Amino acid sequence: MSSSAEASAQLIYPQNVLANASLLNVKFISACFAGAAAGILGLSNLSGFALFLAATLLTSACIWGVNCKGKPGKYVHGGIGELVNPGQDNAFTFVLVWTLFYAIVHVYD
Amino acid sequence: MANNAVSLYLDPQIRDWVLFPITLVMILVGVLRHYVMVLLQSTPKKLPRNALREQRALARSQVLRATAAYSPLPPSFFHAMTESLSEAFAAGTYLKDGPPKEGEAPAGPANPLTDPSAMEGMMGGMKTQMVMMVPQMVIMGWINFFFQGFVLIKLPFPLTLGFKSMLQRGIETPDMDVRWVSSLSWYFLNFFGLNGLYRLLLGNDNSADSSKDAANSPFASLNAAPTGPADYNKLFKSEIDNLEFSNAVYTWLGSDVEDRVLKRYNRLPQTTKAR
């Protein structure tokens, strides 16, 4: 059985990879809700970013357990690294939603 | 200094008339930008059959070569295809204008300035650039004109003093915490933060994404210029050599599949027959 990186790269079926990319949407929505939670709770500075980190880890744990059934290498190309990484887009989304809810709840009367 | 304990009270009408409208406008302009791009994209020019055939022949041989190392094709198929392709390339049967006549040198590549199809490609790239830049400039001007001179929002995270001049433009207070910012900084927050929302609304390949703008502009102009229109005759000749190389690395995925299957189920006979 060929086990080199090239051979396994050749065996990947693109349609399935595309279907698995719906993970990005899950990460985006979790970033939105984490931002809303951080804003409503009034967290600032490091505690806000700590909530983002905790939310990311919780989301990755759920995806790892429920979707990937403990074997992320089978479903996601980069393995567990790519699973946990929220990506630049979601980090900015978190900051935006966090700022928005912080302002609505705590800054305005 | 009691500055940190005192917080500003902001009128809720600022929230209603500035905060939400800026976000709403940016979302809508992004969606509009995407659909304008979709409408502006001219349908790719339909190539005549001969031109298409020469491109496809090249693509076929490239695919064969790329998968040669662990090829799903059994040897008879692979060798038959490579031989027929090599012969066709050598004789020039797939060329757009037909095989070169006896004693006549084959024509060179078309000059990009005179070839109309290449010009359209360059124009299309420039059109997209303009569509991307204009809405951003317009919104920034609109915000600077209407929403200037007041504090809009308090950032939940601290920033260094260096950001004060950019984020508190129009508010001349040397003492105020950098966390109180003007509307332009809300624009920047939205600019970066809405990409995820666009990806959700418009699909992965949308044109409203600002994170892809950086990738598009410098590289497109650098990569498009050097290649020029391809000279298929020379490409075909080099493909003949490449196909020979791929013949050397070719192995079939199923070459000893009988032994592998037997080994997996532990039924491989220990002794091999004496030959």
Side-chain angles (χ1 to χ4, degrees):
Chain A
M1 204 59 177
S2 48
S3 54
S4 69
E6 262 184 30
S8 35
Q10 221 177 283
L11 291 171
I12 294 178
Y13 185 52
Q15 265 85 328
N16 281 346
V17 174
L18 213 55
N20 282 348
S22 62
L23 278 183
L24 276 179
N25 289 342
V26 173
K27 287 190 208 165
F28 169 71
I29 296 191
S30 91
C32 280
F33 279 116
I40 294 177
L41 288 174
L43 301 176
S44 39
N45 303 351
L46 285 178
S47 34
F49 289 113
L51 181 72
F52 179 51
L53 190 65
T56 308
L57 288 175
L58 180 65
T59 312
S60 320
C62 290
I63 299 179
W64 183 81
V66 173
N67 288 17
C68 294
K69 300 181 187 45
K71 286 198 190 58
K74 258 174 80 174
Y75 295 90
V76 177
H77 191 62
I80 200 152
E82 192 180 319
L83 195 64
V84 176
N85 180 20
Q88 178 194 4
D89 276 351
N90 293 332
F92 280 123
T93 302
F94 168 77
V95 170
L96 172 69
V97 180
W98 180 21
T99 308
L100 180 68
F101 276 88
Y102 184 84
I104 292 180
V105 173
H106 290 277
V107 174
Y108 286 98
D109 285 331
Chain B
M1 292 276 248
N3 275 351
N4 290 336
V6 174
S7 76
L8 296 177
Y9 287 118
L10 295 175
D11 193 349
Q13 289 197 346
I14 300 182
R15 174 196 62 199
D16 294 338
W17 292 100
V18 182
L19 201 66
F20 294 146
I22 291 184
T23 306
L24 197 64
V25 163
M26 287 188 73
I27 295 179
L28 291 176
V29 166
V31 171
L32 179 73
R33 196 160 56 137
H34 169 74
Y35 284 119
V36 164
M37 285 291 299
V38 166
L39 287 174
L40 267 187
Q41 267 165 7
S42 46
T43 56
K45 194 171 139 199
K46 205 163 157 174
L47 287 174
R49 185 172 174 271
N50 291 341
L52 205 61
R53 191 176 60 165
E54 72 181 353
Q55 279 182 5
R56 288 286 170 263
L58 200 65
R60 251 192 303 162
S61 94
Q62 279 171 349
V63 168
L64 265 184
R65 281 193 293 120
T67 57
Y70 297 99
S71 179
L73 299 172
S76 52
F77 281 68
F78 185 79
H79 290 307
M81 287 173 82
T82 48
E83 276 174 22
S84 72
L85 274 178
S86 300
E87 274 174 44
F89 287 159
T93 36
Y94 287 137
L95 283 177
K96 191 162 48 177
D97 303 319
K101 316 269 184 301
E102 302 276 332
E104 198 182 278
N111 195 341
L113 292 178
T114 58
D115 190 13
S117 54
M119 280 299 272
E120 273 183 39
M122 285 201 279
M123 281 309 172
M126 283 171 53
K127 265 194 293 192
T128 60
Q129 295 288 327
M130 293 312 297
V131 172
M132 293 310 213
M133 300 300 296
V134 166
Q136 308 294 356
M137 302 286 119
V138 167
I139 295 185
M140 270 217 274
W142 174 66
I143 290 183
N144 266 334
F145 182 68
F146 282 108
F147 303 124
Q148 199 185 27
F150 56 89
V151 165
L152 179 66
I153 208 172
K154 180 180 178 195
L155 296 176
F157 49 89
L159 284 174
T160 60
L161 279 179
F163 286 98
K164 207 172 159 57
S165 61
M166 180 170 80
L167 300 177
Q168 283 180 0
R169 191 169 297 261
I171 312 166
E172 316 297 336
T173 58
D175 266 348
M176 192 164 59
D177 210 349
V178 188
R179 294 168 69 167
W180 297 97
V181 290
S182 69
S183 8
L184 196 63
S185 75
W186 180 239
Y187 165 77
F188 282 125
L189 269 178
N190 271 308
F191 182 71
F192 289 117
L194 285 176
N195 291 336
L197 185 68
Y198 292 144
R199 202 180 50 226
L200 198 65
L201 286 177
L202 302 170
N204 228 343
D205 228 357
N206 65 79
S207 325
D209 206 341
S210 64
S211 63
K212 298 204 182 127
D213 280 352
N216 279 342
S217 49
F219 294 152
S221 43
L222 281 181
N223 281 340
T227 52
D231 181 11
Y232 277 98
N233 207 9
K234 289 207 198 82
L235 283 175
F236 283 170
K237 297 290 183 282
S238 58
E239 275 303 305
I240 300 178
D241 293 330
N242 290 338
L243 281 174
E244 286 217 22
F245 290 146
S246 75
N247 258 330
V249 296
Y250 166 74
T251 53
W252 183 35
L253 267 182
S255 58
D256 51 353
V257 68
E258 304 100 342
D259 286 339
R260 278 191 262 141
V261 171
L262 289 177
K263 205 183 291 190
R264 186 189 276 215
Y265 291 103
N266 291 327
R267 298 243 192 277
L268 188 67
Q270 293 303 322
T271 57
T272 54
K273 286 204 297 240
R275 300 207 180 189

